Amino acid sequence: MSPTIVLITGANSGIGCATAKVFASSSSDYHIIVAGRNLKNCETAVSEIKASGVKGNLTTLLLDVTSQESVDTAASEVEKQFGRLDVLINNAGISDTTLTEVPEFKKRLDAVLTTNITGPAIVSLAFRHLLFKSSNAYSIYVSSGLGSISQTADPSSLRYNSGYTVYRLSKTALNMWAIQEYKELKDKGVKVFIMCPGLVRSNLRGKTEDKVSAGGHAQDPTVSGQTILSIAEGKRDADAGKFVHKDGLYEW
Ligand SMILES: NC(=O)c1ccc[n+]([C@@H]2O[C@H](COP(=O)([O-])OP(=O)(O)OC[C@H]3O[C@@H](n4cnc5c(N)ncnc54)[C@H](OP(=O)(O)O)[C@@H]3O)[C@@H](O)[C@H]2O)c1
């Protein structure tokens, strides 16, 4: 039987890496393409996942979501190797809180929007024709509850605080992109999901233990990977086009 081909952007670290491991641990039916902007880091991630004794197959792919040329080359490579794509996980992202070396607001804003919204949009368009060749295609966007306008505006919400404005903006825009894609592709055999992975350990906030663990509040990113796997397994199909999280749905 032909494997299910899964591509994860930004898969050398955090949620992307944990998701690759969850898929590879769950079944030998998965071929996971661990994509990232630094091939060596992707190779290290794949070696570590394989060393843990997984069933699925994993390979690496150079893919910088901020470069059209890199995205197009990566899509050609997947087409050449596999001829189709079954699950596209737009996961790569950054937060402006780590851009401490960039003093100008405009440069920080441009960097975050280019990675978190322009990136997933051009990746989606470049790989779309390969999803159309799948008999069971999923396009999954890793967003954030911080992009929810209703939670941001609700004084009783945990997400009602003034921080992370640039990051929130990028995820709100990503949600809009994904809803539009959902409407465009729902009758063309591609199920589109917008998911919040929850507050989990990763390098998103920085690399010190306090930042990685969000002051001790972050969960293991395996939890996020399991939510993404449940989507790809069809368990959340009734929630296509919605803002999903582990335990249910968020308001936009
Ligand atoms: N962790 C959380 O609590 C949390 C909560 C809500 C949403 N999220 C979302 O989860 C996603 C994954 O982030 P994470 O938390 O796992 O953080 P992370 O550990 O920093 O992982 C982010 C990944 O994105 C990659 N990346 C950044 N810029 C890229 C580019 N131009 N091209 C390709 N890859 C690029 C990074 O690569 P490098 O290693 O090369 O930098 C890294 O592999 C993000 O979209 C984030 O917004 C995370």
Side-chain angles (χ1 to χ4, degrees):
M1 202 179 85
S2 171
T4 299
I5 313 297
V6 180
L7 187 150
I8 309 172
T9 65
N12 58 282
S13 166
I15 293 166
C17 185
T19 302
K21 189 172 175 184
V22 166
F23 273 75
S25 303
S26 77
S27 164
S28 57
D29 288 345
Y30 289 114
H31 183 113
I32 303 108
I33 304 168
V34 170
R37 60 180 163 176
N38 179 317
L39 206 50
K40 202 158 179 287
N41 291 345
C42 293
E43 282 160 4
T44 303
V46 164
S47 299
E48 285 172 10
I49 296 170
K50 283 184 175 168
S52 70
V54 294
K55 305 171 196 157
N57 197 11
L58 299 117
T59 49
T60 58
L61 181 69
L62 185 63
L63 197 169
D64 181 338
V65 304
T66 64
S67 159
Q68 184 73 61
E69 192 189 347
S70 173
V71 170
D72 290 342
T73 304
S76 300
E77 194 56 41
V78 172
E79 179 159 29
K80 204 164 69 190
Q81 275 189 36
F82 305 101
R84 67 167 206 288
L85 182 63
D86 300 300
V87 183
L88 173 61
I89 304 170
N90 259 299
N91 164 76
I94 60 169
S95 166
D96 53 309
T97 52
T98 58
L99 300 177
T100 45
E101 78 288 1
V102 185
E104 301 91 341
F105 172 76
K106 183 178 181 302
K107 284 192 179 160
R108 290 200 303 275
L109 179 63
D110 287 349
V112 173
L113 295 183
T114 301
T115 305
N116 292 6
I117 175 63
T118 310
I122 64 171
V123 167
S124 159
L125 292 176
F127 283 90
R128 192 168 282 185
H129 68 292
L130 297 177
L131 288 176
F132 287 152
K133 292 188 181 158
S134 168
S135 58
N136 189 27
Y138 286 86
S139 169
I140 302 169
Y141 291 90
V142 179
S143 181
S144 168
L146 287 173
S148 160
I149 292 179
S150 38
Q151 291 182 54
T152 302
D154 176 1
S156 69
S157 168
L158 283 175
R159 295 193 168 99
Y160 182 83
N161 65 61
S162 58
Y164 287 98
T165 302
V166 167
Y167 179 73
R168 285 174 192 265
L169 184 59
S170 72
K171 293 301 188 179
T172 308
L174 179 68
N175 290 356
M176 179 60 81
W177 168 269
I179 301 164
Q180 290 290 86
E181 179 177 275
Y182 163 71
K183 291 185 288 183
E184 203 181 329
L185 302 190
K186 71 181 164 63
D187 297 326
K188 295 181 178 164
V190 182
K191 286 168 272 225
V192 179
F193 285 80
I194 303 97
M195 69 84 67
C196 171
L199 181 64
V200 297
R201 291 179 63 89
S202 78
N203 293 328
L204 185 70
R205 293 164 291 268
K207 291 191 176 169
T208 63
E209 174 55 25
D210 189 53
K211 301 279 187 198
V212 167
S213 71
H217 298 293
Q219 289 184 285
D220 191 296
T222 301
V223 172
S224 319
Q226 285 162 345
T227 306
I228 295 173
L229 177 66
S230 71
I231 293 171
E233 286 177 338
K235 293 178 181 159
R236 304 292 297 264
D237 277 4
D239 296 333
K242 302 205 168 96
F243 194 178
V244 311
H245 62 94
K246 178 170 78 69
D247 301 316
L249 299 176
Y250 282 140
E251 295 292 321
W252 294 113

